[in-house]
Amino acid sequence: MPSYLGAIGTALPAHRLPQPIIADFMARALELDANGTRKLRALYRVSGIEHRYSVLPDYGRTLGDYEFFPNTPSLEPFPSVSPRMAAYRREALPLAVAAAQDSLRQAPGIEADSLTHLITVSCTGMYAPGLDIELVQALGLRPSVRRTCVNFMGCYAAVNALRLADSMVRADPAARVLVVSVELCTLHFQKSRADDHLVSNALFSDGAAAVLVLGQPLPGPAPCLAMRAFHCGLEPEGTRDMAWHIGDTGFEMTLSGYVPALIERGIAQLVAGLLHELPVQLADIRQFALHPGGRKILEAIEQALGLSKHDNRFAYQVLRDYGNMSSATVLFVLRELLAAATPADAGAPVLSCAFGPGLTLEAMLLEVVG
């Protein structure tokens, strides 16, 4: 019997920022000249992003009004890891709680104290006792709830968490698993003109998502997703092209221009591995929930798999409205897909993929359940 994914809750920080406003902040922070500022604004315009969210108000403010960064032209002394982690600890829990409560509100009859497992996902902060224990207390979960933390895997981590939840439910159909992903990527702005940092500063944002994984569909008319299969692939040549390291001034993202080409080269083999021995072919799939790591990544997948922009519409919608929220992003895409599902979609296969350091490619096959 499959496990069922439904009741996807989300939460966003208070600060909704237009992409051009963030570009202006970055140009000032990097002390770019007129030509550099023009190029940076062009990068932000072609990103496919209109708005992003941040727990920090500074990206929408001007020098003199900053709360987190120093009010100096060079932002010096630039914040070290310690104040960034203090901000993570302060801001991550409220977002995670809000997403989890949003998920539970969509599941009548599923009380918080009936949950058997909790999986937390994050790559943008860490502390102990951690977010998992604080969620137990904030949500009123049983102290005996079985906790697992998926940390520092990057954008594909939510797929790992769903695979783990699927295994738990298949082993015990009475299990009720809450998966909570929270990412505060904007805490890790790097004051660097390196291309990798310019691109990551233009893409990443903050958000949280939570999902219930159960041994049976939720009651009621709302559709859910049956999780059918998972598959993981690696492109070792991309080890240095997508990476995530802890530096002196926060977590440093490497995201080179070769990543879309690496994904384009590896995605067909990944999907073939996923569908091997399943009674589903790529041509049978009309529903897609792909992680929008960036516009060029989505275009590379379309080229490799023969997809249209309409096929990829949910990913583009999330990228446009929220940016790349690391591991939480694919859950936002799945939420949009479910919101658009109709009774006619019942039984339709869904292909979902996410990508991250390694270069890791994760895929899962789901099915719409009416």
Side-chain angles (χ1 to χ4, degrees):
M1 297 294 293
S3 63
Y4 295 89
L5 180 160
I8 302 175
T10 59
L12 296 160
H15 307 292
R16 180 175 183 262
L17 304 165
Q19 190 76 324
I21 297 298
I22 305 174
D24 289 343
F25 170 91
M26 295 295 178
R28 292 192 302 270
L30 297 172
E31 300 179 283
L32 299 179
D33 59 18
N35 187 50
T37 298
R38 178 181 58 80
K39 291 180 178 178
L40 188 72
R41 287 173 175 164
L43 171 66
Y44 279 60
R45 279 197 305 273
V46 301
S47 65
I49 300 170
E50 293 182 3
H51 292 88
R52 286 186 281 163
Y53 288 79
S54 175
V55 296
L56 302 178
D58 294 9
Y59 297 109
R61 296 183 176 181
T62 55
L63 183 65
D65 292 326
Y66 299 152
E67 293 183 8
F68 180 76
F69 295 105
N71 281 285
T72 62
S74 61
L75 301 187
E76 296 294 345
F78 202 51
S80 63
V81 172
S82 179
R84 295 174 197 252
M85 289 300 93
Y88 178 89
R89 184 166 187 177
R90 181 177 66 249
E91 303 289 350
L93 179 64
L95 274 182
V97 169
Q101 290 175 336
D102 186 25
S103 178
L104 289 167
R105 275 193 298 269
Q106 301 171 45
I110 305 292
E111 301 297 333
D113 61 4
S114 73
L115 301 178
T116 59
H117 298 74
L118 172 66
I119 303 174
T120 56
V121 185
S122 189
C123 72
T124 49
M126 57 189 69
Y127 57 95
L131 180 66
D132 57 328
I133 292 176
E134 292 182 348
L135 276 172
V136 170
Q137 297 167 339
L139 295 173
L141 307 185
R142 291 181 296 189
S144 61
V145 68
R146 280 164 271 186
R147 296 175 282 113
T148 304
C149 303
V150 178
N151 292 332
F152 220 66
M153 285 185 130
C155 295
Y156 66 88
V159 180
N160 266 268
L162 291 176
R163 182 196 289 114
L164 178 58
D166 176 70
S167 298
M168 292 169 173
V169 170
R170 288 178 185 268
D172 177 8
R176 293 178 169 182
V177 186
L178 177 65
V179 177
V180 182
S181 167
V182 59
E183 302 288 13
L184 306 185
C185 305
T186 67
L187 293 179
H188 300 292
F189 160 56
Q190 295 299 308
K191 195 183 66 175
S192 164
R193 298 185 185 184
D195 288 346
D196 291 350
H197 290 151
L198 292 178
V199 171
S200 60
N201 289 340
L203 293 176
F204 286 95
S205 57
D206 302 346
V211 60
L212 286 169
V213 179
L214 308 169
Q216 60 284 321
L218 287 170
C224 65
L225 295 166
M227 294 194 284
R228 296 295 186 185
F230 294 83
H231 187 69
C232 178
L234 284 173
E235 287 289 329
E237 291 183 29
T239 299
R240 296 183 179 179
D241 293 291
M242 187 182 289
W244 191 225
H245 300 288
I246 299 178
D248 292 337
T249 57
F251 299 177
E252 299 174 4
M253 166 60 75
T254 299
L255 187 63
S256 85
Y258 294 105
V259 169
L262 289 166
I263 292 175
E264 182 176 353
R265 189 174 69 191
I267 190 71
Q269 183 177 352
L270 176 75
V271 173
L274 172 70
L275 301 181
H276 181 61
E277 297 184 352
L278 293 176
V280 178
Q281 298 181 6
L282 179 60
D284 301 324
I285 302 174
R286 293 291 181 267
Q287 300 275 9
F288 298 88
L290 306 178
H291 168 65
R295 181 180 58 83
K296 290 185 177 180
I297 287 177
L298 293 178
E299 292 172 349
I301 297 170
E302 291 162 8
Q303 181 67 27
L305 299 183
L307 307 184
S308 68
K309 291 195 181 302
H310 179 75
D311 293 330
N312 237 351
R313 61 194 180 279
F314 302 118
Y316 281 112
Q317 180 179 336
V318 169
L319 182 67
R320 180 195 67 208
D321 294 342
Y322 309 108
N324 183 344
M325 299 167 284
S326 191
S327 68
T329 318
V330 74
L331 298 178
F332 273 70
V333 179
L334 287 167
R335 182 194 64 168
E336 297 299 333
L337 184 148
L338 273 178
T342 69
D345 295 316
V350 177
L351 175 64
S352 183
C353 300
F355 322 97
L359 179 78
T360 303
L361 301 93
E362 291 275 2
M364 55 182 173
L365 184 72
L366 310 100
E367 180 183 318
V368 179
V369 177

